[in-house]
């Protein structure tokens, strides 16, 4: 399939973003179960709730544009999730695994920040202000999740993993 307009690129990337959220919903539940630190488990549970809502928000945008939400699967997210599972299987349970989980999840968060930031910029260029506001809100949630992960790592988890 050859895309010929900026709008087509935008809509396809929205479909990819929906795939990102769907894949992450499944992955976050497993990551939460693999985590040891209560604070990390709680953070992941909260982010799981946010991610489910984000998926609904992106689906609503796609429906406003009469686009099938489930048409694409984001391969980059699939790979990032595969890598996080590899970490979990390689690392001893406890703080060491939690540190690895945080590193993996932050890679995912950075990817999401880029995805939603780009989409918000494109929505603005296309004059889709409602889309832009929703996408910026999602991007900001991802930034907040990344910040919280950094705080958890710095406050205790990384130090415990070193011991």
């Amino acid at each position: 399939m050859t895309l010929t307009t900026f709008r087509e690129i935008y809509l396809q990337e929205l479909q990819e973003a929906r795939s990102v959220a769907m894949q992450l919903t499944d992955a976050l539940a497993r990551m939460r179960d693999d985590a040891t630190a209560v604070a990390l488990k709680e953070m992941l549970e909260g982010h799981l709730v946010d991610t489910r809502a984000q998926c609904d928000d992106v689906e609503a945008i796609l429906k406003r544009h009469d686009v099938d939400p489930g048409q694409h699967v984001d391969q980059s997210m699939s790979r990032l999730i595969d890598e996080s599972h590899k970490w979990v299987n390689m690392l001893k349970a406890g703080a060491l695994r939690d540190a690895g989980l945080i590193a993996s999840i932050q890679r995912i968060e950075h990817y999401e920040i880029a995805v939603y930031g780009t989409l918000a910029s494109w929505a603005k260029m296309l004059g889709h202000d409602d889309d832009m506001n929703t996408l910026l809100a999602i991007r900001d949630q991802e930034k907040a999740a990344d910040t919280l992960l950094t705080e958890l790592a710095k406050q205790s988890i990384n130090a415990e993993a070193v011991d």
Side-chain angles (χ1 to χ4, degrees):
M1 169 183 191
T2 301
L3 303 176
T4 59
T5 68
F6 196 69
R7 183 177 188 278
E8 288 174 339
I9 294 169
Y10 171 68
L11 295 175
Q12 182 163 333
E13 283 301 303
L14 276 172
Q15 290 171 316
E16 297 278 332
R18 187 258 185 192
S19 171
V20 164
M22 289 296 294
Q23 291 179 62
L24 190 54
T25 297
D26 294 336
L28 283 171
R30 287 185 297 235
M31 291 174 186
R32 177 203 55 215
D33 294 343
D34 290 330
T36 304
V38 172
L40 181 56
K41 283 182 173 288
E42 290 172 352
M43 179 274 165
L44 292 171
E45 181 61 35
H47 197 49
L48 177 57
V49 170
D50 289 344
T51 301
R52 286 180 179 139
Q54 291 168 1
C55 188
D56 292 342
D57 291 342
V58 173
E59 283 185 15
I61 292 171
L62 287 163
K63 287 178 183 176
R64 281 199 304 266
H65 293 286
D66 295 321
V67 176
D68 176 11
Q71 191 170 359
H72 293 283
V73 175
D74 187 277
Q75 296 302 312
S76 296
M77 180 56 79
S78 295
R79 298 291 183 255
L80 288 168
I81 290 170
D82 288 346
E83 285 297 310
S84 74
H85 291 309
K86 183 173 84 174
W87 270 105
V88 167
N89 292 326
M90 288 174 39
L91 298 171
K92 178 182 169 187
L96 187 62
R97 182 179 290 167
D98 288 349
L101 275 170
I102 288 173
S104 294
I105 297 163
Q106 284 192 294
R107 284 185 198 99
I108 291 168
E109 294 306 320
H110 295 174
Y111 179 64
E112 287 184 291
I113 291 165
V115 166
Y116 291 113
T118 298
L119 282 169
S121 175
W122 289 0
K124 181 178 181 178
M125 294 296 298
L126 290 166
H128 301 309
D129 291 341
D130 288 343
D131 295 5
M132 179 191 68
N133 291 331
T134 299
L135 294 163
L136 286 173
I138 294 171
R139 184 208 57 197
D140 290 347
Q141 285 180 323
E142 299 307 329
K143 285 182 176 183
D146 181 56
T147 298
L148 183 53
L149 287 164
T150 296
E151 290 172 10
L152 288 172
K154 285 181 178 180
Q155 288 174 355
S156 61
I157 291 174
N158 286 351
E160 291 173 21
V162 170
D163 291 339

